[in-house]
Amino acid sequence: MEVFWDAALAFVCVLGLAFGAWWLFGLLLRPLPGCGAAILIPGRGEGERLEQLVRAVIWLRGMGLVKSPVLIADVSLSPAGRELALRLAARWPGVVVWPAGELEDCLGQL
């Protein structure tokens, strides 16, 4: 009978440790509420990787891991790159295109 109680106690301890590890890991992945952070993506050239980066952030937002707005900084976008950035901003809420020299004004509005 003593072996049964030892096994039951060991099982409960393993469950408690697993729950504690799961809870702490969840704290690491969970976004901070109301932290006022923004994700800044520099836009250059034709915007080659721009759509991929914005889609990745939107995917994270859809999973609930990111709540921050996305700022596309127009560093040196060509007209075609600027058009792509504006289309991305029109497609998803929370995505903003802003000139790189005026980022301080945009961040002040957040």
Side-chain angles (χ1 to χ4, degrees):
M1 192 66 164
E2 187 177 326
V3 174
F4 172 76
W5 289 115
D6 287 343
L9 181 63
F11 181 73
V12 170
C13 288
V14 167
L15 281 179
L17 286 174
F19 175 75
W22 173 75
W23 182 70
L24 288 173
F25 189 67
L27 283 177
L28 288 174
L29 294 179
R30 204 170 334 174
L32 296 174
C35 64
I39 297 173
L40 181 65
I41 299 176
R44 293 187 173 94
E46 300 288 321
E48 292 85 14
R49 296 192 59 222
L50 193 58
E51 186 170 3
Q52 178 186 7
L53 291 171
V54 172
R55 281 182 181 269
V57 173
I58 296 301
W59 180 73
L60 289 173
R61 186 186 292 169
M63 290 179 55
L65 296 175
V66 174
K67 294 181 181 180
S68 304
V70 179
L71 301 176
I72 300 174
D74 185 354
V75 177
S76 59
L77 285 171
S78 66
R82 191 171 297 111
E83 181 182 328
L84 173 65
L86 290 173
R87 274 190 287 143
L88 292 172
R91 184 180 215 176
W92 289 295
V95 178
V96 179
V97 180
W98 209 269
E102 300 172 10
L103 279 177
E104 187 176 332
D105 298 334
C106 181
L107 294 174
Q109 294 176 6
L110 295 178

